[in-house]
Amino acid sequence: DEDQRRKIIWGRGSMGTDPRLEEFPESSEEECGDSGSDEDWMPEQNGASREVAGSSSDSDEGDEAQEEEYEGHEEEREAHEVIDEGQEEDEAEEAENSPPPRAQGKKAKGKSVRNTWRSMDNEFGGDLPTFLGESQMNVEGRYPIDFFSHLFTQEMIDDIVFNTNLYAVQKGNEKLELTSDEFKTFLGMNMVMSYIKYPRARMYWSSEQGLRLDLVADAMPVNRFEKILRYVHFVDNYSIDPENADRFVKIRPFLNALQGTFSASLDPEEYQSVDEMMIPFKRRLSIKQYIPKKPKPWGVKVWVRAGSSGYMYSFEPYQGPSGGRGEISQLGMAGDVVMRLCEDLQDRNHMVFFDNFFCTIPLLQALKHQGIFGTGTYRKNRLHGAQEKLKTEKQLKKEGRGSVSVVTSRQNITITSWMDSSVIHMASSCTGVSPTDEAERWSKKEKKMLKVQRPFAVKLYNQHMGGVDQMDPMVAAYPHRRRNRRWYIRVFFHFVDVAVVNAWFLYRMSGNEAKDLLHFKASTARALINTGSRRAVVKVPPEVRYAPGNHWPKLKKENAMRCSDESCDRRTKYTCLQCVVFVCPDCFSNFHLRR
């Protein structure tokens, strides 16, 4: 019989695969007669058994039992679904109220959290959280050099001098013998070159009338200046680990020391901002960045946290997505940068502002868990479901300029959409719409200024976001941009300029005599040059000339030079120990008395 020779059996494998068709070879009736029923050919199944439809062994009792078992399984499955839905809601709420975890290596892939949005304003309602910190200056001084020396300390200078001499010896030059005072003169000369610019460096020492700059040329010979610039170094090359992934390792000790003095000199202000800064550099460099909207688009990028006054508190040079640390959390590279820069702001209700490059809802939540409130512009592709409750861009445009829409999450994260010339999205953990104020905007259609309702979040952002933007033009006003093949020398002199600007901010906060940045930098440069000058300098800053100290005459063996007193035309070999200028013994009293 054909049915007996060939048997077609449907079954399910042990791994739950699709039914497969098994075909057995032809056999005699005698072989098949004693083989039993088709069930003997069925493969063994793991898990719950499944009856084959149409089998002769099925009975009514079995059908009823199967139906009861199926109904029981259905009820159990429905119960599990209800429990799972409740667990998912609890897990979502717990995840929303907990900071994002950090993960080693590449960016962690966590479970996405659905935020619950409500059409309401921020809970603070314009009453900002009480600031728990104190903004106090920790520097005392009267003259510009006092404030600069507090940021650029003697220990930093000694460390640079040691590594410079060490590098010169390693290169076969054992006669450099740089001293700390001489390096201060070298530093002051570079400051002078930043606000009195010549096309070539050697022109400061020119013998042609009208080119020579005595303040620089009399302080140090040009060959000595170039030799120090050639060998200046910040770390021992032989102590660098070959596996060190830090791309700023050649200047890292200096950067760490400078960041420590920046943060210790002034307690953090209530309002802080995070933004980027560019160090112009166009030579070949792996960490070089291109930002087309910057005045200097090519260069080394630095993440900066500054106060609303413009003072730079913390910075981090950019060296790739992982930041040289091999660790990216669920906040992403930009979020991790903000968290690292704000490590010293925890639990004092500081308010940090940033643009839409950094701003995300998980970042605002993570900052809030550390007692920091964040506010920033927001990209519309990061709304996390808030767009379902917010008014559309078409609706806001129809309502006109000044129209607004706001939603708030359970954790009091507020997203505000405001119609100005275009739709602007703001995200904040402490501000929203109220209290609104009026802002003046130009109307192209009506050819006049109009008053437009402005949300409180936009007003606060405009007031306190420009901290880094205040530092940038100050550094760019008198920058040191002498060409150098070693990129870290450019980074070094950039942060020297930053230290001068920070010292100027501290000088103004201390209530001293009003000085603009140019006069402040010139005074600092003269004081540094006079500290370790090998030759006499004609002009002496008042803070050195009239300050009490060791104003005693000292006989020099070198050739006589003209007396520094304005009323004297004679030459002398006597110098003042403190002012380091040639002064006749008869002119000492007149030279050191303030008129």
Side-chain angles (χ1 to χ4, degrees), residues 109-142:
K109 294 182 179 180
K111 185 178 179 181
S112 60
V113 179
R114 292 179 298 175
N115 292 275
T116 303
W117 300 99
R118 296 168 291 177
S119 298
M120 59 178 294
D121 201 358
N122 193 275
E123 293 178 1
F124 286 104
D127 296 329
L128 298 177
T130 304
F131 180 54
L132 304 179
E134 295 181 1
S135 184
Q136 181 179 358
M137 189 170 64
N138 304 316
V139 183
E140 293 182 0
R142 181 179 178 185

mmCIF file of all heavy atoms in Angstrom, residues 109-142:
data_model
loop_
_atom_site.group_PDB
_atom_site.id
_atom_site.type_symbol
_atom_site.label_atom_id
_atom_site.label_comp_id
_atom_site.label_asym_id
_atom_site.label_seq_id
_atom_site.Cartn_x
_atom_site.Cartn_y
_atom_site.Cartn_z
ATOM 1 N N LYS A 109 24.485 51.645 25.604
ATOM 2 C CA LYS A 109 23.154 51.577 25.014
ATOM 3 C C LYS A 109 22.161 51.208 26.106
ATOM 4 O O LYS A 109 22.042 50.059 26.489
ATOM 5 C CB LYS A 109 23.114 50.540 23.890
ATOM 6 C CG LYS A 109 23.981 50.920 22.698
ATOM 7 C CD LYS A 109 23.871 49.887 21.601
ATOM 8 C CE LYS A 109 24.730 50.274 20.398
ATOM 9 N NZ LYS A 109 24.635 49.275 19.318
ATOM 10 N N GLY A 110 21.512 52.194 26.626
ATOM 11 C CA GLY A 110 20.569 51.945 27.696
ATOM 12 C C GLY A 110 19.148 51.875 27.193
ATOM 13 O O GLY A 110 18.845 52.162 26.037
ATOM 14 N N LYS A 111 18.250 51.493 28.073
ATOM 15 C CA LYS A 111 16.839 51.410 27.734
ATOM 16 C C LYS A 111 16.256 52.809 27.618
ATOM 17 O O LYS A 111 16.452 53.655 28.473
ATOM 18 C CB LYS A 111 16.100 50.633 28.822
ATOM 19 C CG LYS A 111 14.637 50.399 28.499
ATOM 20 C CD LYS A 111 13.986 49.585 29.606
ATOM 21 C CE LYS A 111 12.506 49.361 29.325
ATOM 22 N NZ LYS A 111 11.869 48.587 30.396
ATOM 23 N N SER A 112 15.594 53.098 26.502
ATOM 24 C CA SER A 112 15.020 54.424 26.292
ATOM 25 C C SER A 112 13.876 54.658 27.267
ATOM 26 O O SER A 112 13.078 53.771 27.539
ATOM 27 C CB SER A 112 14.508 54.557 24.856
ATOM 28 O OG SER A 112 13.514 53.595 24.590
ATOM 29 N N VAL A 113 13.830 55.880 27.790
ATOM 30 C CA VAL A 113 12.833 56.238 28.792
ATOM 31 C C VAL A 113 11.830 57.196 28.166
ATOM 32 O O VAL A 113 12.205 58.189 27.545
ATOM 33 C CB VAL A 113 13.515 56.898 30.015
ATOM 34 C CG1 VAL A 113 12.461 57.295 31.032
ATOM 35 C CG2 VAL A 113 14.529 55.948 30.626
ATOM 36 N N ARG A 114 10.575 56.881 28.314
ATOM 37 C CA ARG A 114 9.522 57.752 27.816
ATOM 38 C C ARG A 114 9.145 58.760 28.888
ATOM 39 O O ARG A 114 8.719 58.386 29.980
ATOM 40 C CB ARG A 114 8.304 56.932 27.405
ATOM 41 C CG ARG A 114 8.529 56.051 26.189
ATOM 42 C CD ARG A 114 7.284 55.252 25.865
ATOM 43 N NE ARG A 114 6.923 54.364 26.944
ATOM 44 C CZ ARG A 114 5.820 53.612 26.969
ATOM 45 N NH1 ARG A 114 4.980 53.666 25.953
ATOM 46 N NH2 ARG A 114 5.569 52.817 27.989
ATOM 47 N N ASN A 115 9.329 60.050 28.589
ATOM 48 C CA ASN A 115 8.979 61.098 29.536
ATOM 49 C C ASN A 115 7.495 61.420 29.420
ATOM 50 O O ASN A 115 6.928 61.437 28.328
ATOM 51 C CB ASN A 115 9.803 62.358 29.247
ATOM 52 C CG ASN A 115 11.271 62.160 29.537
ATOM 53 O OD1 ASN A 115 11.718 62.313 30.667
ATOM 54 N ND2 ASN A 115 12.038 61.809 28.510
ATOM 55 N N THR A 116 6.881 61.653 30.551
ATOM 56 C CA THR A 116 5.473 62.032 30.599
ATOM 57 C C THR A 116 5.390 63.546 30.646
ATOM 58 O O THR A 116 5.869 64.177 31.586
ATOM 59 C CB THR A 116 4.790 61.424 31.831
ATOM 60 O OG1 THR A 116 4.962 60.000 31.802
ATOM 61 C CG2 THR A 116 3.321 61.764 31.840
ATOM 62 N N TRP A 117 4.775 64.149 29.635
ATOM 63 C CA TRP A 117 4.711 65.597 29.523
ATOM 64 C C TRP A 117 3.301 66.097 29.828
ATOM 65 O O TRP A 117 2.321 65.480 29.433
ATOM 66 C CB TRP A 117 5.123 66.050 28.124
ATOM 67 C CG TRP A 117 6.514 65.644 27.768
ATOM 68 C CD1 TRP A 117 6.893 64.570 27.020
ATOM 69 C CD2 TRP A 117 7.719 66.288 28.170
ATOM 70 N NE1 TRP A 117 8.247 64.505 26.916
ATOM 71 C CE2 TRP A 117 8.791 65.555 27.613
ATOM 72 C CE3 TRP A 117 8.007 67.416 28.941
ATOM 73 C CZ2 TRP A 117 10.115 65.914 27.805
ATOM 74 C CZ3 TRP A 117 9.324 67.779 29.130
ATOM 75 C CH2 TRP A 117 10.364 67.029 28.569
ATOM 76 N N ARG A 118 3.269 67.230 30.518
ATOM 77 C CA ARG A 118 2.006 67.890 30.835
ATOM 78 C C ARG A 118 2.073 69.344 30.378
ATOM 79 O O ARG A 118 3.117 69.976 30.468
ATOM 80 C CB ARG A 118 1.735 67.841 32.337
ATOM 81 C CG ARG A 118 1.539 66.433 32.882
ATOM 82 C CD ARG A 118 1.570 66.421 34.387
ATOM 83 N NE ARG A 118 2.916 66.714 34.892
ATOM 84 C CZ ARG A 118 3.230 66.818 36.177
ATOM 85 N NH1 ARG A 118 2.291 66.677 37.091
ATOM 86 N NH2 ARG A 118 4.471 67.081 36.543
ATOM 87 N N SER A 119 0.949 69.862 29.929
ATOM 88 C CA SER A 119 0.891 71.246 29.439
ATOM 89 C C SER A 119 0.807 72.199 30.624
ATOM 90 O O SER A 119 -0.264 72.676 31.009
ATOM 91 C CB SER A 119 -0.310 71.431 28.509
ATOM 92 O OG SER A 119 -0.196 70.605 27.378
ATOM 93 N N MET A 120 1.955 72.463 31.234
ATOM 94 C CA MET A 120 2.030 73.361 32.388
ATOM 95 C C MET A 120 3.433 73.961 32.453
ATOM 96 O O MET A 120 4.368 73.474 31.829
ATOM 97 C CB MET A 120 1.725 72.600 33.690
ATOM 98 C CG MET A 120 2.647 71.431 33.968
ATOM 99 S SD MET A 120 2.303 70.601 35.523
ATOM 100 C CE MET A 120 2.730 71.885 36.689
ATOM 101 N N ASP A 121 3.558 75.051 33.213
ATOM 102 C CA ASP A 121 4.829 75.758 33.338
ATOM 103 C C ASP A 121 5.691 75.092 34.414
ATOM 104 O O ASP A 121 5.251 74.197 35.135
ATOM 105 C CB ASP A 121 4.570 77.219 33.687
ATOM 106 C CG ASP A 121 5.747 78.119 33.337
ATOM 107 O OD1 ASP A 121 6.764 77.594 32.854
ATOM 108 O OD2 ASP A 121 5.646 79.348 33.551
ATOM 109 N N ASN A 122 6.941 75.557 34.519
ATOM 110 C CA ASN A 122 7.866 75.032 35.517
ATOM 111 C C ASN A 122 7.358 75.304 36.926
ATOM 112 O O ASN A 122 6.722 76.328 37.184
ATOM 113 C CB ASN A 122 9.242 75.671 35.319
ATOM 114 C CG ASN A 122 10.332 74.955 36.095
ATOM 115 O OD1 ASN A 122 10.545 75.229 37.269
ATOM 116 N ND2 ASN A 122 11.017 74.045 35.428
ATOM 117 N N GLU A 123 7.627 74.398 37.834
ATOM 118 C CA GLU A 123 7.118 74.507 39.204
ATOM 119 C C GLU A 123 7.677 75.714 39.941
ATOM 120 O O GLU A 123 7.031 76.244 40.856
ATOM 121 C CB GLU A 123 7.445 73.232 39.977
ATOM 122 C CG GLU A 123 6.708 71.993 39.468
ATOM 123 C CD GLU A 123 7.101 70.742 40.229
ATOM 124 O OE1 GLU A 123 7.930 70.858 41.160
ATOM 125 O OE2 GLU A 123 6.596 69.663 39.890
ATOM 126 N N PHE A 124 8.894 76.158 39.591
ATOM 127 C CA PHE A 124 9.473 77.296 40.304
ATOM 128 C C PHE A 124 8.742 78.593 39.963
ATOM 129 O O PHE A 124 8.748 79.526 40.774
ATOM 130 C CB PHE A 124 10.960 77.432 39.958
ATOM 131 C CG PHE A 124 11.818 76.383 40.611
ATOM 132 C CD1 PHE A 124 12.304 75.312 39.886
ATOM 133 C CD2 PHE A 124 12.134 76.467 41.950
ATOM 134 C CE1 PHE A 124 13.089 74.345 40.473
ATOM 135 C CE2 PHE A 124 12.923 75.508 42.560
ATOM 136 C CZ PHE A 124 13.396 74.442 41.814
ATOM 137 N N GLY A 125 8.170 78.682 38.774
ATOM 138 C CA GLY A 125 7.352 79.836 38.423
ATOM 139 C C GLY A 125 8.057 81.168 38.496
ATOM 140 O O GLY A 125 7.451 82.169 38.882
ATOM 141 N N GLY A 126 9.323 81.211 38.175
ATOM 142 C CA GLY A 126 10.071 82.470 38.209
ATOM 143 C C GLY A 126 10.833 82.700 39.484
ATOM 144 O O GLY A 126 11.752 83.533 39.512
ATOM 145 N N ASP A 127 10.485 82.004 40.573
ATOM 146 C CA ASP A 127 11.235 82.110 41.829
ATOM 147 C C ASP A 127 12.378 81.103 41.774
ATOM 148 O O ASP A 127 12.202 79.918 42.076
ATOM 149 C CB ASP A 127 10.331 81.822 43.028
ATOM 150 C CG ASP A 127 9.227 82.857 43.155
ATOM 151 O OD1 ASP A 127 9.466 84.008 42.775
ATOM 152 O OD2 ASP A 127 8.127 82.496 43.621
ATOM 153 N N LEU A 128 13.559 81.563 41.383
ATOM 154 C CA LEU A 128 14.696 80.674 41.171
ATOM 155 C C LEU A 128 15.156 80.053 42.480
ATOM 156 O O LEU A 128 14.988 80.629 43.564
ATOM 157 C CB LEU A 128 15.848 81.455 40.529
ATOM 158 C CG LEU A 128 15.560 82.042 39.144
ATOM 159 C CD1 LEU A 128 16.750 82.849 38.652
ATOM 160 C CD2 LEU A 128 15.230 80.942 38.151
ATOM 161 N N PRO A 129 15.749 78.860 42.405
ATOM 162 C CA PRO A 129 16.245 78.209 43.635
ATOM 163 C C PRO A 129 17.271 79.085 44.343
ATOM 164 O O PRO A 129 18.077 79.770 43.717
ATOM 165 C CB PRO A 129 16.876 76.912 43.111
ATOM 166 C CG PRO A 129 16.256 76.674 41.783
ATOM 167 C CD PRO A 129 15.953 78.021 41.216
ATOM 168 N N THR A 130 17.243 79.041 45.654
ATOM 169 C CA THR A 130 18.156 79.856 46.453
ATOM 170 C C THR A 130 19.588 79.372 46.286
ATOM 171 O O THR A 130 19.878 78.179 46.442
ATOM 172 C CB THR A 130 17.766 79.807 47.936
ATOM 173 O OG1 THR A 130 16.395 80.213 48.077
ATOM 174 C CG2 THR A 130 18.656 80.718 48.763
ATOM 175 N N PHE A 131 20.491 80.285 45.979
ATOM 176 C CA PHE A 131 21.901 79.938 45.802
ATOM 177 C C PHE A 131 22.531 79.678 47.163
ATOM 178 O O PHE A 131 22.456 80.514 48.072
ATOM 179 C CB PHE A 131 22.619 81.077 45.075
ATOM 180 C CG PHE A 131 24.084 80.827 44.847
ATOM 181 C CD1 PHE A 131 24.511 79.670 44.216
ATOM 182 C CD2 PHE A 131 25.025 81.753 45.265
ATOM 183 C CE1 PHE A 131 25.855 79.440 43.995
ATOM 184 C CE2 PHE A 131 26.371 81.535 45.042
ATOM 185 C CZ PHE A 131 26.790 80.376 44.408
ATOM 186 N N LEU A 132 23.168 78.522 47.322
ATOM 187 C CA LEU A 132 23.720 78.099 48.612
ATOM 188 C C LEU A 132 25.214 78.339 48.733
ATOM 189 O O LEU A 132 25.799 78.041 49.775
ATOM 190 C CB LEU A 132 23.425 76.611 48.843
ATOM 191 C CG LEU A 132 21.950 76.202 48.781
ATOM 192 C CD1 LEU A 132 21.804 74.704 48.994
ATOM 193 C CD2 LEU A 132 21.129 76.970 49.809
ATOM 194 N N GLY A 133 25.841 78.847 47.691
ATOM 195 C CA GLY A 133 27.284 79.088 47.728
ATOM 196 C C GLY A 133 27.604 80.541 48.005
ATOM 197 O O GLY A 133 26.730 81.379 48.210
ATOM 198 N N GLU A 134 28.913 80.843 48.023
ATOM 199 C CA GLU A 134 29.398 82.207 48.234
ATOM 200 C C GLU A 134 30.440 82.519 47.171
ATOM 201 O O GLU A 134 31.387 81.758 46.991
ATOM 202 C CB GLU A 134 30.014 82.380 49.624
ATOM 203 C CG GLU A 134 29.027 82.230 50.766
ATOM 204 C CD GLU A 134 29.686 82.438 52.118
ATOM 205 O OE1 GLU A 134 30.911 82.725 52.119
ATOM 206 O OE2 GLU A 134 29.007 82.319 53.138
ATOM 207 N N SER A 135 30.252 83.614 46.462
ATOM 208 C CA SER A 135 31.222 84.030 45.455
ATOM 209 C C SER A 135 32.228 84.959 46.116
ATOM 210 O O SER A 135 31.971 86.153 46.312
ATOM 211 C CB SER A 135 30.517 84.731 44.287
ATOM 212 O OG SER A 135 31.426 85.040 43.276
ATOM 213 N N GLN A 136 33.368 84.403 46.488
ATOM 214 C CA GLN A 136 34.375 85.148 47.247
ATOM 215 C C GLN A 136 35.721 85.057 46.533
ATOM 216 O O GLN A 136 36.120 83.994 46.068
ATOM 217 C CB GLN A 136 34.494 84.594 48.664
ATOM 218 C CG GLN A 136 35.498 85.327 49.534
ATOM 219 C CD GLN A 136 35.552 84.757 50.939
ATOM 220 O OE1 GLN A 136 34.804 83.832 51.262
ATOM 221 N NE2 GLN A 136 36.429 85.285 51.773
ATOM 222 N N MET A 137 36.439 86.188 46.444
ATOM 223 C CA MET A 137 37.748 86.211 45.808
ATOM 224 C C MET A 137 38.815 85.861 46.839
ATOM 225 O O MET A 137 38.810 86.370 47.963
ATOM 226 C CB MET A 137 38.023 87.584 45.191
ATOM 227 C CG MET A 137 39.261 87.624 44.330
ATOM 228 S SD MET A 137 39.404 89.174 43.400
ATOM 229 C CE MET A 137 39.588 90.322 44.761
ATOM 230 N N ASN A 138 39.736 84.995 46.448
ATOM 231 C CA ASN A 138 40.771 84.502 47.361
ATOM 232 C C ASN A 138 42.148 85.041 47.008
ATOM 233 O O ASN A 138 43.161 84.384 47.246
ATOM 234 C CB ASN A 138 40.791 82.970 47.327
ATOM 235 C CG ASN A 138 39.435 82.368 47.650
ATOM 236 O OD1 ASN A 138 38.751 82.804 48.581
ATOM 237 N ND2 ASN A 138 39.014 81.380 46.872
ATOM 238 N N VAL A 139 42.198 86.242 46.434
ATOM 239 C CA VAL A 139 43.461 86.871 46.029
ATOM 240 C C VAL A 139 43.536 88.255 46.648
ATOM 241 O O VAL A 139 42.551 88.991 46.647
ATOM 242 C CB VAL A 139 43.558 86.982 44.489
ATOM 243 C CG1 VAL A 139 44.905 87.570 44.083
ATOM 244 C CG2 VAL A 139 43.370 85.627 43.837
ATOM 245 N N GLU A 140 44.692 88.577 47.177
ATOM 246 C CA GLU A 140 44.933 89.911 47.714
ATOM 247 C C GLU A 140 46.104 90.535 46.971
ATOM 248 O O GLU A 140 47.117 89.876 46.721
ATOM 249 C CB GLU A 140 45.235 89.860 49.216
ATOM 250 C CG GLU A 140 44.049 89.408 50.065
ATOM 251 C CD GLU A 140 44.385 89.409 51.544
ATOM 252 O OE1 GLU A 140 45.549 89.761 51.870
ATOM 253 O OE2 GLU A 140 43.502 89.072 52.351
ATOM 254 N N GLY A 141 45.964 91.787 46.621
ATOM 255 C CA GLY A 141 47.039 92.468 45.919
ATOM 256 C C GLY A 141 46.649 93.884 45.581
ATOM 257 O O GLY A 141 45.478 94.269 45.670
ATOM 258 N N ARG A 142 47.678 94.640 45.164
ATOM 259 C CA ARG A 142 47.449 96.042 44.821
ATOM 260 C C ARG A 142 47.830 96.336 43.386
ATOM 261 O O ARG A 142 47.243 97.206 42.750
ATOM 262 C CB ARG A 142 48.249 96.938 45.765
ATOM 263 C CG ARG A 142 48.074 98.417 45.513
ATOM 264 C CD ARG A 142 48.882 99.236 46.498
ATOM 265 N NE ARG A 142 48.766 100.673 46.243
ATOM 266 C CZ ARG A 142 49.445 101.606 46.906
ATOM 267 N NH1 ARG A 142 50.282 101.237 47.876
ATOM 268 N NH2 ARG A 142 49.290 102.883 46.613
#
